[in-house]
Amino acid sequence: MPSILSRLAILCVLFLPAEALAHKSSDSFLNLKSDGEVIVGQWDIALRDMDLAVGLDLNGDGALTWGELRGARLAIEAYALSRLTLSRGQTACEASVTDLLVSEYSDGPYAALIMEAHCSEGLGPVQLSYNLLFDQDANHRGILQWSASENATHLVIGPDTGPLLLEAEKIDPAQAFISFLAEGVWHIWIGFDHILFLLTLLLPVALVRRHGTWELVSWLQSLVSAAKVVTAFTIAHSLTLGLAVYDLVLLPARFVEPAIALSVALAAANNVFPVVTKRHWIMAFAFGLIHGFGFAVVLLDISSSPNVLAWTLLAFNLGVELGQLAILALAVPVVYILSETSWYRSAGIKMASIAVIALSSIWMFERTIAQTL
């Protein structure tokens, strides 16, 4: 029965934990260079993540000082080195931290571990195993920059990546492309606010507003409407994603994240009190510009040559689109089937939209007021 399924879907949205649905990310940045038998580099780990792992805020005042960071240096080094293994052949490289600094990123301060690893087995490929924070945050990602000879590449490391084999003299560009392609798919799948925005716009995709009521349109018309919405959203967020990554236009996260939540609420409110009854693709484009800055968070702090960054951006954005299309391919037929019922047209679409307004309001509170408390 469609009405029962609709109500269950609404209840699922209402009772899912808001924290689990909020758009958050955790990354560390590992920059390594092969220099003969020695591997040198820097590993930047967010202080908020390191505090979660080893407990830096000893006095519990909610503020981390340089004294607290320096006092926890041995614990930081021991934890980090236990989560990273480098080896050549059958022999593990002897890694150590030579200095501890602080780096500033777009999302706050990071502990910067200056590292070197001595490998006894010649100049062959390096095997890297990364296991930072995965036991505490399955969404955590390591962004690796590996430099060999005069070449460099970026790779994304997740819980399922497994050991990486890094060549000492050459770079495989396909490995990096696939890595960021997969990260783009993953990012949209955990970017519930982005997906919910699109799905909210598509709730009336099989309907048209006439004389104050929703009326069913043909299957072909609904597909055309869905295609316009998705295309407009894609063009808009791709535009601002590129502008942000190339440092041409930047907006602070404290503005972008609440604005994304607001866009979800406004899209849902339009389903309850229709103002924009035609050309929903215009809303998708307008708010998609804001969502692009949200996508940029993953790539914003990567430093690389323009050529490498262009391929990284292309792979990530393509992954986002593939993940988005996979979800919508399942959602649009369901919406059309539900739209054939009188209950959905008269009450279901309103109930679902009210649930979305409630959830996005929680996000707005978390991303504005709650951050200052």
Side-chain angles (χ1 to χ4, degrees):
M1 296 175 59
S3 60
I4 293 177
L5 292 175
S6 300
R7 289 167 182 161
L8 285 175
I10 294 168
L11 288 173
C12 286
V13 172
L14 281 173
F15 288 102
L16 276 172
E19 186 67 23
L21 291 173
H23 178 62
K24 298 180 181 291
S25 62
S26 168
D27 303 306
S28 83
F29 298 87
L30 179 59
N31 188 336
L32 297 177
K33 180 179 181 180
S34 176
D35 186 12
E37 296 183 359
V38 180
I39 298 171
V40 296
Q42 178 173 321
W43 194 2
D44 294 349
I45 305 171
L47 288 182
R48 62 179 183 276
D49 289 336
M50 194 57 76
D51 184 38
L52 179 67
V54 302
L56 302 179
D57 187 15
L58 299 180
N59 59 13
D61 64 353
L64 295 177
T65 65
W66 172 245
E68 288 174 322
L69 184 64
R70 184 176 55 188
R73 174 170 175 169
L74 292 179
I76 291 172
E77 292 179 9
Y79 175 77
L81 293 177
S82 71
R83 302 305 176 104
L84 180 69
T85 303
L86 298 168
S87 60
R88 268 191 171 131
Q90 302 299 316
T91 306
C93 303
E94 185 178 343
S96 62
V97 176
T98 60
D99 202 358
L100 177 64
L101 306 172
V102 175
S103 296
E104 192 68 30
Y105 281 77
S106 60
D107 59 344
Y110 281 55
L113 286 70
I114 311 302
M115 304 175 60
E116 62 179 37
H118 294 266
C119 306
S120 60
E121 291 203 16
L123 305 177
V126 174
Q127 181 171 287
L128 180 148
S129 296
Y130 177 106
N131 192 32
L132 182 73
L133 292 169
F134 291 147
D135 55 341
Q136 296 175 318
D137 183 1
N139 293 332
H140 174 78
R141 293 293 183 271
I143 311 297
L144 168 66
Q145 177 174 299
W146 172 250
S147 301
S149 298
E150 300 299 321
N151 302 312
T153 190
H154 288 94
L155 298 169
V156 181
I157 308 172
D160 301 321
T161 301
L164 291 172
L165 191 64
L166 306 171
E167 297 291 341
E169 300 297 333
K170 60 182 179 180
I171 297 295
D172 181 7
Q175 187 181 19
F177 191 90
I178 293 172
S179 173
F180 275 91
L181 180 74
E183 180 61 16
V185 173
W186 173 253
H187 190 73
I188 191 64
W189 283 354
I190 65 171
F192 295 100
D193 42 10
H194 304 300
I195 289 298
L196 193 58
F197 171 73
L198 264 183
L199 292 179
T200 301
L201 285 180
L202 293 175
L203 284 176
V205 73
L207 304 172
V208 64
R209 194 77 175 172
R210 292 195 183 103
H211 309 297
T213 60
W214 294 108
E215 296 181 8
L216 188 68
V217 299
S218 70
W219 175 251
L220 179 60
Q221 285 177 287
S222 65
L223 280 180
V224 171
S225 297
K228 289 180 178 180
V229 168
V230 174
T231 301
F233 183 69
T234 297
I235 293 173
H237 75 64
S238 298
L239 176 62
T240 48
L241 171 60
L243 291 174
V245 168
Y246 278 100
D247 203 22
L248 297 175
V249 178
L250 291 176
L251 293 179
R254 65 179 182 275
F255 167 77
V256 172
E257 292 301 322
I260 290 175
L262 178 62
S263 73
V264 178
L266 291 176
N270 190 65
N271 292 337
V272 181
F273 305 103
V275 175
V276 180
T277 58
K278 297 179 181 179
R279 299 186 179 90
H280 286 89
W281 63 267
I282 296 177
M283 291 181 63
F285 182 86
F287 290 123
L289 294 171
I290 297 295
H291 285 248
F293 290 109
F295 287 125
V297 171
V298 176
L299 305 179
L300 200 56
D301 293 306
I302 295 178
S303 57
S304 186
S305 66
N307 185 48
V308 172
L309 189 57
W311 281 105
T312 300
L313 177 61
L314 175 63
F316 179 80
N317 203 41
L318 182 58
V320 168
E321 305 319 320
L322 291 176
Q324 179 178 286
L325 289 174
I327 294 172
L328 296 180
L330 297 174
V332 172
V334 172
V335 169
Y336 190 86
I337 292 172
L338 293 176
S339 298
E340 292 179 319
T341 68
S342 59
W343 179 86
Y344 180 82
R345 296 194 296 271
S346 61
I349 190 171
K350 287 186 178 181
M351 292 177 63
S353 298
I354 290 171
V356 171
I357 293 172
L359 181 58
S360 55
S361 297
I362 295 173
W363 285 341
M364 282 189 285
F365 175 81
E366 287 182 338
R367 301 173 186 188
T368 52
I369 301 175
Q371 295 297 325
T372 63
L373 296 179

